[in-house]
Amino acid sequence: MNVTIIGTGYVGLTTGVALAYLGHRVTCVDKNPRIVERLAKGEATIHEPGLEELLRRAASHLRFQTAIPDLKGQGVVFIAVGTPTKHNGDADLQYVDAAAKEVAERIQPGARLVVVNKSTVPIGSARHVEGIIRRSLEGRGTEAQVWVASNPEFLAEGRAMHDTLYPDRVVIGADDPAAVGLLHDLYAPLLEQTFAPPVETPRPERYALPPLITTTPTSAELTKYAANAFLATKISFINEFSRLAEHVGADITEVARAIGLDTRIGPKFLQAGIGWGGSCFGKDTRAILATAKSYDYAMPIVESAILVNERQRLHVIDKLQRHLKVLRGTTVGLLGLAFKGNTDDLRDAPALTLIEHLHERGAVIKVHDPVAMDNARRLYPELPVTYCCDPEALAAGCDALVVVTDWPEYTRLPLGAMKARMKGELLLDARNLLNPESAREAGLTYVGIGR
Ligand code: NAI
């Protein structure tokens, strides 16, 4: 099938590469020429495990360009552009609107297309995009069959390729059975898992075929917000209990393990730490609150999840202050900048909040990250930090180290060598990632979250 993807960021690129690997002919469009140039050369523009290999393997089915091609015949067009936060918390639809207009202008007479909202968009956006396209077609006197569907994306950064090839479910919100039919055909290789799994992204053992959930556009749109608000709340819930665990002297990692074994609860998203970050949870929880407010409806659970998350980041600073007493003039080394492990994404990263507050309080800040340092230098040239090439160089002269990102390689840190180069001995593990015993054996004072 012919697939066009508007917006080649984390979601657009992953979706495009996966669909090309499944055998569709995919054109990925991005208005940023730098992104298009690099992708056309086979270079991955984001850090995602398995992406670069798949990009190479699917190259013959993939094209990258800055302009939307003529949309003729039968096909699917995905809108996967950003939906940032407006001042009132609502999602800003300016990029979606622009993309919809640009798509509409390329639709040729006789085309039979499904335009899919893949971006996370507020309730009513399918109808809104449909209106933009219909008005454009009428204005140009172009006769074409175009349906607009909602097909929210649930991938997690750091495992985006895996989540795209082996989804838990596929949700399609569309009013017209023809649109559902086309999207069903598009996703058939995923739904039936008829493709050969790439070696870098193997199919999980005991993977059950993903159900296709067909519903209305409104329910599909609400599903995405409900999923993200629920996951954000789950993290805030365990963080709230982690603080109580600190008061009463319990270990939250053991509590989380014990409750997570209850199949009604499940073990995921129960890691107490510095709280969530990233481009989605903060933005989407605020957007759904803005939607609720427009109906004069309050959502206290979601509001509290946001509040607890903000408080949790500051709690890490307070803990540092409590142990170091004076932050002014002390040297703090941050292990990790990315908002979570296996990604180079810095959007709403807790590390940025730590840097801001530590700098305000006069601390000297050193940082290390396995992949996100280039992005940090490019996006935040004024960041008041010293970049270090490895964890040992980071540790040199530090009064304290803070584990900020749950990079898998940080579970294997050379703690003895690092301690030998430090001035102080505090290791604040804001992800509960390390083994406290190993840290103590290395001569460090280990402080975790809720334990
Ligand atoms: P991103 O910022 O990485 O990518 C968006 C891309 O769209 C950019 O490269 C930008 O240059 C391009 N763009 C914007 N307007 C364009 C236009 N008119 N024509 C061509 N290209 C255009 O954003 P990301 O993270 O991929 O998110 C996209 C949407 O997907 C958002 O609504 C987000 O909430 C949602 N989402 C993101 C997930 C994630 O983990 N990043 C997961 C699930 C949903």
Side-chain angles (χ1 to χ4, degrees):
M1 200 176 287
N2 284 322
V3 178
T4 308
I5 300 193
I6 317 298
T8 312
Y10 286 85
V11 168
L13 180 57
T14 315
T15 306
V17 169
L19 291 174
Y21 181 74
L22 299 180
H24 299 298
R25 288 175 301 279
V26 181
T27 305
C28 289
V29 179
D30 203 289
K31 63 180 183 185
N32 182 338
R34 196 174 137 256
I35 291 182
V36 169
E37 230 170 76
R38 289 183 56 197
L39 287 168
K41 283 193 275 184
E43 266 176 50
T45 41
I46 54 172
H47 176 89
E48 274 300 334
L51 172 67
E52 201 147 58
E53 292 80 2
L54 231 55
L55 191 57
R56 224 176 1 253
R57 218 162 285 172
S60 62
H61 284 69
L62 268 172
R63 281 189 305 176
F64 296 98
Q65 52 196 61
T66 49
I68 302 174
D70 278 349
L71 301 165
K72 329 181 244 207
Q74 183 163 290
V76 177
V77 180
F78 285 97
I79 297 182
V81 298
T83 46
T85 307
K86 279 203 300 207
H87 62 278
N88 65 352
D90 215 345
D92 183 349
L93 285 183
Q94 63 166 307
Y95 303 106
V96 171
D97 289 0
K101 281 192 197 112
E102 289 154 18
V103 165
E105 283 160 15
R106 308 304 295 185
I107 297 175
Q108 303 300 305
R112 197 166 179 272
L113 293 177
V114 186
V115 176
V116 178
N117 277 343
K118 191 78 167 154
S119 299
T120 302
V121 283
I123 309 304
S125 294
R127 201 180 297 167
H128 172 74
V129 165
E130 200 172 344
I132 292 176
I133 293 174
R134 193 178 3 91
R135 285 191 293 278
S136 167
L137 290 179
E138 282 168 7
R140 288 163 48 219
T142 305
E143 296 265 346
Q145 273 185 303
V146 183
W147 301 279
V148 176
S150 164
N151 170 217
E153 178 53 61
F154 299 100
L155 67 80
E157 283 179 27
R159 41 177 293 147
M161 243 24 275
H162 173 278
D163 290 352
T164 307
L165 291 174
Y166 314 111
D168 291 336
R169 75 303 206 190
V170 175
V171 176
I172 294 175
D175 290 325
D176 195 298
V180 177
L182 264 173
L183 290 175
H184 180 274
D185 292 351
L186 179 84
Y187 283 126
L190 277 189
L191 296 168
E192 288 148 28
Q193 291 286 306
T194 47
F195 62 94
V199 271
E200 298 81 10
T201 314
R203 186 176 291 140
E205 274 176 45
R206 293 197 298 275
Y207 175 68
L209 293 182
L212 173 68
I213 298 181
T214 52
T215 181
T216 61
T218 305
S219 295
E221 287 159 354
L222 189 58
T223 299
K224 175 62 193 174
Y225 285 102
N228 271 1
F230 189 86
L231 294 171
T233 303
K234 208 172 170 192
I235 296 174
S236 281
F237 179 88
I238 201 68
N239 280 334
E240 184 169 284
F241 267 81
S242 79
R243 298 284 294 278
L244 186 61
E246 289 180 2
H247 284 296
V248 302
D251 184 336
I252 197 66
T253 62
E254 286 168 14
V255 175
R257 182 170 135 74
I259 64 169
L261 285 168
D262 185 326
T263 49
R264 293 169 301 178
I265 296 175
K268 294 185 180 164
F269 283 69
L270 281 183
Q271 283 74 37
I274 195 168
W276 80 68
S279 66
C280 293
F281 286 177
K283 160 175 91 66
D284 296 346
T285 46
R286 283 185 176 81
I288 203 61
L289 287 182
T291 297
K293 197 168 169 211
S294 73
Y295 289 85
D296 213 8
Y297 178 64
M299 298 184 84
I301 294 180
V302 180
E303 276 173 34
S304 303
I306 296 172
L307 191 79
V308 169
N309 196 58
E310 286 167 356
R311 205 172 69 170
Q312 196 69 6
R313 289 187 185 187
L314 300 181
H315 179 55
V316 172
I317 314 261
D318 290 345
K319 264 170 131 41
L320 258 182
Q321 178 124 44
R322 209 167 335 122
H323 282 85
L324 294 173
K325 307 297 180 204
V326 178
L327 286 175
R328 189 166 303 281
T330 57
T331 303
V332 180
L334 304 185
L335 284 151
L337 284 171
F339 85 91
K340 67 171 177 177
N342 282 326
T343 179
D344 56 355
D345 197 344
L346 290 164
R347 291 177 286 187
D348 195 21
L352 298 176
T353 309
L354 289 194
I355 290 169
E356 184 193 328
H357 284 263
L358 288 172
H359 179 63
E360 253 171 34
R361 295 181 200 199
V364 176
I365 309 158
K366 298 177 75 179
V367 297
H368 170 263
D369 190 285
V371 301
M373 292 201 290
D374 283 347
N375 268 355
R377 285 193 189 94
R378 188 169 54 81
L379 298 171
Y380 306 98
E382 307 289 317
L383 216 56
V385 300
T386 305
Y387 293 96
C388 301
C389 57
D390 61 46
E392 281 185 53
L394 177 84
C398 280
D399 296 282
L401 294 173
V402 186
V403 180
V404 190
T405 306
D406 52 350
W407 277 102
E409 43 265 71
Y410 287 166
T411 57
R412 303 180 295 271
L413 288 169
L415 292 176
M418 288 169 72
K419 166 71 183 69
R421 300 190 63 179
M422 286 174 71
K423 194 155 77 183
E425 59 200 27
L426 180 64
L427 174 67
L428 173 46
D429 183 1
R431 292 285 186 173
N432 288 343
L433 189 70
L434 308 186
N435 178 345
E437 273 317 302
S438 315
R440 286 188 199 111
E441 278 164 20
L444 291 156
T445 302
Y446 178 90
V447 177
I449 301 286
R451 57 202 310 204

